[in-house]
Amino acid sequence: MEIVILAVVIAVVVIGALGGLVVGSRRKKQLPPPPPATPDITAPPAEPHVGEEAETPRDEARRTIEEVDLPDATATAPVTVEEPPAPVIEIPEPTAGRLVRLRARLSRSQNALGKGLLTLLSREHLDEDTWEEIEDTLLTADVGVQPTQELVERLRERVKVLGTRTPEELRGLLREELLTLVGTDSDRAVRTEPETGGPGIVMVVGVNGTGKTTTTGKLARVLVADGRSVVLGAADTFRAAAADQLQTWGERVGAHTVRGPEGGDPASVAFDAVKEGKEIGADVVLIDTAGRLHTKTGLMDELGKVKRVVEKHAPLDEVLLVLDATTGQNGLIQARVFAEVVDITGIVLTKLDGTAKGGIVVAVQRELGVPVKLVGLGEGADDLAPFEPEAFVDALIGD
Ligand SMILES: Nc1nc2c(ncn2[C@@H]2O[C@H](COP(=O)(O)OP(=O)(O)OP(=O)(O)O)[C@@H](O)[C@H]2O)c(=O)[nH]1
Ligand SMILES: [Mg+2]
């Protein structure tokens, strides 16, 4: 019995000692860290306790509540960025006389064609070789074989009659003959005012990269500058970027862009664009289409379908074929195929600023029997000019 009591006492003592150790170790953890041997300047100042005087450093500027709590102006900027920026509507340049203003852009054609011809014609002896050089100059400028022969024949005739030649006479002569080739009696206005009421409908077609979207955007600006309201149809559904590109042009002049899902049916986008144009009473609907090679029959058929579907609303007023002037004779083959699939009513010659082949104006009109209505003379937003034969020929031969 005594042994049992002793054992219990020992057990209690041992447990108590162990418990004390554990509690002790817990207590140790709860103890505040010992004060550093040297004052720690990074440590926050000790909080004042009740009854202590609150000291304010004298030379520290006092900050108001607003200063403390409100972020500064730069910090509030991200909030305003989230809101859509207010659209800045541009006011495009007036369209009258643009070709005259942009005539310097034709300088390459000017040097190759106009000045070249004048120099040759001013030679004292206009022998066979010279006439051949004149012919070559015209051919190199892409005037085309038939028009070149006509021009040379007429020039020869008239120079013979002229006898002595002053530079002014020669210039006048060349101007007249070039004008005859380019043609002055076509109606070159882009048709956007249907007789039936409802919006004018314009469709823009051509091979890849000729400048269709750029031209559509520039044309929207021209129309807006003339006080017309415009709806854009992004019937290039191959890439979302194509619709974005058109929409950006539209936003600059406050024109809405109707678009469809990427890879969707271009005909239904074109249809919807005209529908919207009708509903909101817009003056003109411009439909941009995807670039397509004239050799791809599937894509050419698709273009025909876009036209037919739009015509469920109303006949198209204008189908503009956009041709890159730098592609030369190849453009003529394209033109022929496009004209078969959709009736082309006007030609836009782009990139005339980057080529010496201004003669393509003559060749393409002959090929299609359709007038050049607009010319692109640069990448700038207002670098699209109504085509005026006289201003064009004047620019070619210089003043
Ligand atoms: N120098 C010059 N560049 C032009 C002119 N017109 C268009 N471009 C440029 O040609 C390039 C192609 O223009 P886009 O309008 O995208 O051509 P697109 O026909 O719509 O092309 P796809 O839709 O891909 O078939 C762009 O870099 C334009 O800035 C012009 O008159 N002069
Ligand atoms: Mg395009």
Side-chain angles (χ1 to χ4, degrees):
M1 189 66 188
E2 284 168 7
I3 294 167
V4 171
I5 290 168
L6 188 65
V8 168
V9 168
I10 290 168
V12 166
V13 168
V14 167
I15 289 167
L18 281 174
L21 275 177
V22 172
V23 171
S25 70
R26 277 192 192 142
R27 278 205 192 118
K28 260 186 195 160
K29 280 186 187 161
Q30 285 169 346
L31 284 177
T38 50
D40 180 0
I41 53 165
T42 62
E47 280 181 32
H49 294 281
V50 179
E52 285 182 7
E53 287 272 351
E55 275 186 73
T56 308
R58 286 177 175 232
D59 49 2
E60 189 177 295
R62 282 170 185 255
R63 297 162 77 198
T64 63
I65 291 167
E66 287 86 351
E67 280 172 340
V68 172
D69 287 341
L70 286 179
D72 61 18
T74 53
T76 59
V79 178
T80 54
V81 163
E82 281 170 22
E83 292 167 14
V88 182
I89 307 289
E90 296 176 20
I91 298 166
E93 269 181 37
T95 54
R98 273 198 194 178
L99 193 53
V100 174
R101 269 205 305 283
L102 296 169
R103 62 190 297 165
R105 304 274 174 88
L106 282 167
S107 62
R108 287 206 206 181
S109 286
Q110 196 177 64
N111 291 330
L113 191 61
K115 287 189 182 144
L117 288 178
L118 276 176
T119 311
L120 288 167
L121 285 170
S122 308
R123 283 191 188 164
E124 211 164 315
H125 298 293
L126 286 174
D127 52 16
E128 277 310 310
D129 285 352
T130 309
W131 284 113
E132 222 160 84
E133 276 184 67
I134 290 172
E135 218 171 89
D136 288 347
T137 305
L138 289 160
L139 288 173
T140 310
D142 267 349
V143 173
V145 176
Q146 182 68 26
T148 295
Q149 281 169 359
E150 284 173 26
L151 183 72
V152 169
E153 220 164 274
R154 293 165 71 103
L155 277 177
R156 285 184 85 145
E157 202 57 41
R158 294 188 70 177
V159 167
K160 214 188 288 173
V161 174
L162 208 61
T164 52
R165 292 163 272 130
T166 65
E168 286 69 37
E169 279 171 327
L170 281 176
R171 182 187 300 273
L173 223 154
L174 188 61
R175 184 179 189 276
E176 272 177 39
E177 291 304 329
L178 283 173
L179 258 181
T180 306
L181 276 194
V182 172
T184 48
D185 45 7
S186 317
D187 179 7
R188 298 178 190 271
V190 177
R191 278 177 290 166
T192 55
E193 287 171 76
E195 285 153 20
T196 53
I201 308 170
V202 180
M203 185 164 85
V204 180
V205 303
V207 303
N208 310 67
T210 51
K212 291 175 297 298
T213 306
T214 308
T215 298
T216 309
K218 288 173 176 174
L219 184 55
R221 295 174 69 88
V222 168
L223 292 165
V224 168
D226 291 345
R228 324 278 312 277
S229 60
V230 175
V231 167
L232 297 172
D236 181 349
T237 54
F238 281 113
R239 297 168 292 126
D244 291 344
Q245 188 192 355
L246 187 68
Q247 192 170 341
T248 303
W249 277 99
E251 279 167 359
R252 290 173 67 176
V253 289
H256 182 242
T257 301
V258 175
R259 38 192 302 178
E262 193 173 346
D265 179 17
S268 76
V269 176
F271 184 86
D272 288 348
V274 178
K275 186 160 160 262
E276 179 176 313
K278 276 174 149 179
E279 281 167 4
I280 67 171
D283 294 319
V284 188
V285 179
L286 299 180
I287 301 163
D288 179 31
T289 61
R292 66 200 72 223
L293 268 180
H294 54 292
T295 49
K296 303 256 182 195
T297 37
L299 291 176
M300 294 306 286
D301 289 348
E302 182 194 81
L303 193 61
K305 182 186 162 197
V306 173
K307 181 171 185 264
R308 284 193 304 279
V309 168
V310 168
E311 281 171 344
K312 290 184 176 164
H313 284 293
L316 273 81
D317 296 283
E318 192 81 72
V319 180
L320 294 174
L321 172 68
V322 179
L323 287 180
D324 178 339
T326 62
T327 57
Q329 298 294 316
N330 205 7
L332 301 185
I333 302 162
Q334 298 165 14
R336 212 177 297 143
V337 181
F338 273 92
E340 277 166 22
V341 177
V342 283
D343 294 324
I344 304 294
T345 57
I347 299 159
V348 184
L349 263 189
T350 57
K351 313 189 193 183
L352 266 178
D353 52 309
T355 176
K357 297 180 177 294
I360 194 76
V361 168
V362 173
V364 74
Q365 293 186 143
R366 285 283 178 108
E367 182 70 37
L368 294 192
V370 166
V372 171
K373 295 193 167 177
L374 298 164
V375 285
L377 289 159
E379 295 190 84
D382 293 323
D383 293 345
L384 181 77
F387 183 72
E388 301 160 48
E390 275 154 31
F392 181 72
V393 170
D394 283 343
L396 285 188
I397 58 178
D399 287 325

